[in-house]
């Protein structure tokens, strides 16, 4: 049994910063990480084309001015290897690895009410005793493998984008089947298409995607941003997404048809998420959303030469942005290649995997290798994979059977001294996640500091505060079009998972202000004893 003040589970960007921050408070801390190194998502998702969708100058830590000035990003949106190098650099620079236990999976965390300590057990039987537990286990860290009949019978290699071999995979001279056209599929398809002899994409749902217009970051532009970094970071903290892209806040329905075209084209040319977030009404008004969506569909029709293929690729069953908007490089253009085919497998048209490929209701497809770009058991997957037991031995997974409920997305009633970074009920996946992580780490650190200074031994969310928060999160989401899709935000991609909209939709700034208010009030909604 090893004693620590705090155990952090996970060593992605959340766990890394949490370790650093707790050390500054003079607390003893260990992070426990399943992988063999830091980086989290960027350690696991090594598929070809993996890259961030928030600009790198923004998708990076802001807690150290020296760090942000030293590090040089090569591109507007960094690719996975570069982001992993950045995580490695941060770990070296702040000597984080000495407090991280790698290659170790946490299986259980159990609260002992008598000792007021958590016992954290690993799969190999090590036990850590601690006063606080921080779950930095990630929102997108449990790959979702589809329940395909006969998957085990397929004789070729099966690669999941979120568990990609570190040595890569050479597709040259191979025929490839790829399932899934969400962000990972849309990023990897153009690159795999270049390598493979033939690529067959199996699409269940067409998705909206906006061009990244990615390219090298000029030295002058980077220097300019670095000169203004403090102001830009401040601007990000005051924004909806937590990013420092300009937010224009134009209402689509207030514009004339001509102006609308101008604005759509302008956002399209800027690329990225601003296509969705620059308009005030796109996520709340179906007419506004239809106009923005049709503009994208017409772009797809203009890019894809085969009209039949173009229609398959045009999303028509959900509002734009209600599933995570994708940001691509030459995704739709890839379907003009002779060696790429798309198969619309709609709902339930896949019958089974065979030894050599896949059989649908409409035909049989053969390929040498299969890529699963099928996403994650998002937001609650990694938390529910650990047997977390709070007061009275109550299981978190059981408590969340009908959907996750938390206070501020950070704490859960009945689970004292346990905190979640970017948990359900916080902006998390709706924000620039590095900023969302920083805000949580700093807020949790301040709460622990307060507890230490005031001889508080137990910090626990009150049930009433939790219920009020959960109701507010759900009511806010219900006023938007985010709830109009069968998305992973709702748990709809995992059979049997409760359909509850998990992220907080009112934006990073409003959320951070609410957290600040709670802190200023002496942590209203928490029982401190
Ligand atoms: P993670 O990076 O997921 O780290 C969690 C870690 O916990 C993992 O290393 C995991 O191994 C470990 N872990 C989990 N359970 C256990 C256990 N039981 N025992 C031990 N270790 C455990 N966000 C953005 O804001 N912008 C983007 O552009 C963006 N792009 C993305 C692209 C991809 C392909 C993916 C998958 C996600 C992307 N995200 C993006 C979201 C991303 O999740 C966050 O940006 C961020 O990296 C999350 O960091 P984290 O530390 O919270 O979680």
């Amino acid at each position: 049994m090893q004693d620590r003040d705090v155990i952090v589970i996970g060593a992605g960007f959340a766990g890394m910063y949490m370790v650093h921050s707790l050390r500054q408070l003079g607390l003893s801390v260990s992070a426990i990480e399943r992988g063999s190194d830091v980086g989290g998502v960027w350690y696991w998702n090594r598929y070809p084309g993996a890259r961030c969708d928030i600009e790198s100058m923004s998708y990076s830590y802001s807690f150290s001015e020296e760090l942000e000035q030293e590090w040089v990003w090569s591109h507007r949106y960094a690719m996975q290897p570069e982001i992993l190098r950045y995580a490695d650099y941060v770990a070296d620079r702040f000597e984080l690895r000495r407090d991280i236990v790698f290659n170790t999976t946490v299986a259980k965390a159990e609260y002992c009410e008598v000792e007021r300590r958590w016992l954290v057990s690993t799969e190999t039987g090590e036990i850590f005793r601690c006063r606080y537990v921080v779950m930095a286990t990630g929102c997108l860290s449990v790959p979702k493998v589809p329940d395909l009949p006969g998957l085990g019978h397929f004789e070729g290699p099966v690669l999941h984008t979120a568990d990609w071999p570190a040595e890569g995979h050479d597709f040259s001279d191979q025929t490839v089947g790829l399932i899934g056209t969400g962000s990972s599929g849309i990023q990897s398809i153009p690159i795999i298409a270049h390598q493979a002899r033939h690529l067959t994409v199996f699409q269940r749902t067409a998705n909206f995607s906006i061009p990244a217009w990615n390219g090298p970051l000029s030295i002058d532009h980077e220097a300019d941003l670095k000169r203004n970094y403090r102001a830009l970071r401040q601007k990000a903290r005051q924004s909806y997404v937590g990013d420092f892209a300009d937010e224009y806040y134009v209402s689509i329905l207030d514009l004339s048809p001509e102006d609308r075209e101008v604005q759509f084209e302008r956002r399209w040319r800027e690329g990225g998420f601003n296509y969705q977030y620059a308009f005030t009404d796109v996520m709340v008004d179906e007419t506004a959303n239809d106009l923005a969506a049709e503009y994208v569909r017409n772009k797809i029709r203009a890019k894809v030469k085969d009209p039949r293929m173009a229609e398959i690729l045009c999303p028509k069953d959900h509002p734009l942005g209600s599933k995570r908007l994708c940001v691509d490089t030459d995704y739709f253009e890839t379907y003009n290649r002779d060696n790429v085919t798309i198969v619309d497998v709609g709902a339930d048209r896949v019958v089974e995997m065979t030894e050599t490929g896949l059989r649908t209701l409409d035909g049989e497809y053969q390929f040498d290798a299969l890529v699963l770009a099928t996403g994650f058991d998002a937001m609650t997957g990694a938390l529910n994979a650990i047997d977390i037991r709070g007061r009275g031995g109550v299981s978190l997974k059981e408590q969340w059977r009908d959907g996750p409920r938390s206070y501020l997305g950070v704490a859960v009633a009945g689970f004292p001294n346990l905190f979640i970074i970017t948990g359900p009920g916080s902006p998390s996946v709706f924000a620039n996640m590095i900023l969302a992580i920083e805000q949580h780490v700093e807020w949790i650190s301040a709460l622990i500091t307060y507890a230490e200074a005031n001889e508080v031994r137990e910090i626990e969310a009150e049930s009433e505060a939790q219920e009020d928060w959960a109701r507010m999160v759900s009511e806010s989401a219900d006023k938007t079009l985010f709830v109009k899709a069968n998305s992973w935000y709702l748990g709809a991609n995992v059979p049997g998972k409760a359909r509850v909209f998990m992220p907080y939709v009112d934006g990073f700034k409003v959320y951070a202000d609410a957290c600040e208010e709670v802190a200023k009030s002496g942590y209203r909604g928490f029982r401190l004893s």
Side-chain angles (χ1 to χ4, degrees):
M1 173 104 70
Q2 304 184 47
D3 278 295
R4 298 284 186 281
D5 291 320
V6 193
I7 288 294
V8 175
I9 308 177
F13 284 126
M16 291 166 70
Y17 184 34
M18 195 76 239
V19 167
H20 177 67
S21 179
L22 291 167
R23 269 195 204 153
Q24 308 285 101
L25 303 182
L27 297 171
S28 63
V29 52
S30 282
I32 304 175
E33 166 57 52
R34 180 160 49 99
S36 66
D37 209 341
V38 295
V41 148
W42 305 105
Y43 168 94
W44 296 107
N45 290 258
R46 299 176 193 230
Y47 60 85
R51 161 210 34 73
C52 62
D53 288 345
I54 299 270
E55 295 188 35
S56 305
M57 292 296 289
S58 184
Y59 185 77
S60 50
Y61 285 126
S62 67
F63 71 82
S64 160
E65 287 188 40
E66 294 79 16
L67 170 67
E68 67 183 7
Q69 290 297 329
E70 280 159 24
W71 184 263
V72 179
W73 291 108
S74 71
H75 280 69
R76 178 182 184 192
Y77 299 101
M79 302 295 292
Q80 171 273 331
E82 189 172 3
I83 306 176
L84 191 58
R85 278 201 301 282
Y86 173 72
D88 173 61
Y89 179 81
V90 174
D92 279 349
R93 195 188 190 291
F94 297 99
E95 296 179 27
L96 300 179
R97 288 189 183 86
R98 69 179 147 86
D99 287 324
I100 305 175
V101 183
F102 290 108
N103 300 307
T104 306
T105 300
V106 170
K108 187 168 185 177
E110 191 174 16
Y111 189 61
C112 170
E113 290 180 62
V114 179
E115 284 191 34
R116 292 176 154 187
R117 292 278 190 283
W118 281 90
L119 296 178
V120 175
S121 325
T122 71
E123 276 184 353
T124 46
E126 280 170 281
I127 300 178
F128 294 81
R129 185 168 53 189
C130 55
R131 294 193 285 139
Y132 305 100
V133 174
V134 181
M135 308 302 298
T137 42
C139 295
L140 302 171
S141 54
V142 174
K144 170 82 189 64
V145 176
D147 195 10
L148 278 177
L151 183 58
H153 298 156
F154 180 65
E155 287 177 348
V158 178
L159 300 119
H160 196 295
T161 48
D163 194 10
W164 203 262
E167 66 282 7
H169 183 90
D170 183 8
F171 291 107
S172 49
D173 254 358
Q174 289 195 320
T175 52
V176 182
L178 185 148
I179 301 178
T181 50
S183 286
S184 305
I186 280 178
Q187 288 184 347
S188 57
I189 284 165
I191 317 256
I192 295 174
H194 264 98
Q195 291 175 6
R197 191 143 49 83
H198 191 90
L199 172 65
T200 307
V201 176
F202 297 95
Q203 173 189 277
R204 215 185 54 188
T205 320
N207 271 308
F208 291 97
S209 187
I210 307 295
W213 309 113
N214 200 12
L217 204 54
S218 82
I219 294 172
D220 288 348
H221 183 50
E222 177 153 4
D224 190 38
L225 293 176
K226 282 187 172 174
R227 261 192 304 280
N228 295 307
Y229 234 150
R230 297 328 309 149
L232 290 169
R233 298 292 199 186
Q234 193 48 34
K235 183 176 171 190
R237 285 189 178 245
Q238 299 301 314
S239 72
Y240 181 89
V241 184
D243 183 14
F244 46 70
D246 283 326
E247 290 177 333
Y248 307 93
Y249 295 127
V250 181
S251 155
I252 293 176
L253 296 182
D254 285 350
L255 299 171
S256 67
E258 297 74 29
D259 285 347
R260 222 175 263 155
E261 293 291 300
V262 171
Q263 293 291 341
F264 285 146
E265 185 60 21
R266 179 173 161 193
R267 310 297 184 232
W268 179 267
R269 291 272 140 225
E270 285 169 2
F273 285 120
N274 232 14
Y275 189 85
Q276 170 180 353
Y277 288 117
F279 301 106
T280 50
D281 40 7
V282 79
M283 291 318 299
V284 288
D285 186 291
E286 291 196 33
T287 309
N289 194 290
D290 279 347
L291 290 164
E294 189 60 10
Y295 194 82
V296 176
R297 283 191 286 264
N298 284 335
K299 289 285 187 189
I300 298 170
R301 289 173 184 127
K303 282 176 189 232
V304 181
K305 288 185 189 140
D306 175 347
R308 191 194 61 89
M309 250 191 191
E311 285 316 306
I312 292 176
L313 288 161
C314 280
K316 292 170 195 141
D317 67 347
H318 62 279
L320 177 139
S322 59
K323 289 186 171 214
R324 188 179 170 89
L325 194 65
C326 301
V327 179
D328 73 279
T329 300
D330 294 340
Y331 172 63
F332 295 110
E333 292 82 345
T334 298
Y335 293 94
N336 294 331
R337 295 176 64 97
D338 291 339
N339 69 333
V340 179
T341 316
I342 187 156
V343 181
D344 182 10
V345 286
D348 303 325
R349 297 200 72 74
V350 173
V351 178
E352 62 175 354
M353 289 294 300
T354 64
E355 288 171 8
T356 54
L358 191 148
R359 198 153 64 79
T360 71
L361 288 179
D362 313 300
E364 194 151 344
Y365 302 86
Q366 304 214 325
F367 38 82
D368 305 317
L370 174 67
V371 175
L372 298 175
T374 44
F376 301 88
D377 181 353
M379 304 203 67
T380 52
L383 295 165
N384 286 340
I386 302 174
D387 185 10
I388 303 173
R389 307 253 160 195
R391 266 187 212 294
V394 168
S395 140
L396 182 69
K397 189 175 172 182
E398 281 298 310
Q399 190 156 311
W400 281 4
R401 184 195 288 273
D402 298 326
R405 305 179 91 69
S406 70
Y407 181 41
L408 304 174
V410 172
V412 183
F415 296 81
N417 295 1
L418 178 133
F419 305 109
I420 305 169
I421 300 182
T422 63
S426 77
S428 62
V429 292
F430 271 20
N432 165 6
M433 280 201 69
I434 297 203
L435 185 60
I437 285 167
E438 288 191 321
Q439 186 260 339
H440 267 183
V441 168
E442 287 156 17
W443 196 86
I444 293 165
S445 299
L447 173 52
I448 291 178
T449 306
Y450 181 88
E452 298 286 300
N454 292 284
E455 292 180 9
V456 169
R457 295 193 62 205
E458 268 182 351
I459 305 165
E460 185 177 351
E462 289 169 358
S463 302
E464 207 183 2
Q466 174 169 294
E467 288 316 300
D468 288 348
W469 186 259
R471 192 176 323 109
M472 185 274 294
V473 169
S474 152
E475 285 173 1
S476 289
D478 286 346
K479 290 182 200 141
T480 71
L481 302 177
F482 285 112
V483 293
K484 302 266 179 192
N486 286 326
S487 68
W488 55 259
Y489 299 137
L490 263 168
N493 63 327
V494 179
K497 189 164 171 172
R499 298 275 178 115
V500 171
F501 195 84
M502 294 181 280
Y504 172 96
V505 297
D506 286 340
F508 178 82
K509 183 199 163 5
V510 178
Y511 171 79
D513 286 350
C515 291
E516 201 51 42
E517 276 302 305
V518 169
K520 276 196 190 135
S521 70
Y523 295 100
R524 187 183 57 238
F526 284 94
R527 195 178 56 75
L528 306 176
S529 57

